[in-house]
C-alpha cells in the first residue's frame, strides 16, 4: 500500500470529525465507527488483492 500524504491524512481527519460532530450521542459515534471499520476492512482486502494480482504479472 502506498504512503498517504499529509493532505490526504488531514482530509480523512476532517471527514471523520465532521461526521462524528453530527452525532447526538456516543452510541451514534460507536455505530459510525463500526461502519467505517467495516468499509475500511473491505478496502484493505481489495488492496491486498490488487497487490497479489500485480505480483503475478
Amino acid at each position: 500500500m502506498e504512503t498517504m500524504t499529509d493532505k490526504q491524512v488531514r482530509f480523512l481527519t476532517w471527514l471523520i470529525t465532521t461526521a462524528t460532530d453530527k452525532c447526538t450521542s456516543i452510541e451514534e459515534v460507536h455505530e459510525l465507527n463500526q461502519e467505517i471499520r467495516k468499509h475500511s476492512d473491505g478496502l484493505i482486502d481489495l488492496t491486498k488483492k490488487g497487490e497479489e494480482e500485480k505480483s503475478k504479472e
Side-chain angles (χ1 to χ4, degrees):
M1 188 168 165
E2 294 182 30
T3 304
M4 291 176 49
T5 65
D6 286 344
K7 189 173 183 178
Q8 290 170 319
V9 172
R10 284 193 302 269
F11 172 76
L12 288 174
T13 303
W14 170 83
L15 185 64
I16 292 168
T17 56
T18 299
T20 55
D21 282 346
K22 294 179 181 181
C23 295
T24 57
S25 69
I26 192 66
E27 289 78 19
E28 287 181 359
V29 173
H30 291 302
E31 289 174 17
L32 181 60
N33 287 341
Q34 284 180 321
E35 195 69 22
I36 291 168
R37 285 185 193 101
K38 180 172 67 174
H39 291 286
S40 67
D41 286 345
L43 290 175
I44 291 167
D45 292 343
L46 289 175
T47 302
K48 287 180 184 177
K49 190 176 187 179
E51 289 174 357
E52 289 172 1
E53 289 174 4
K54 285 181 184 178
S55 66
K56 290 180 184 177
E57 295 176 352

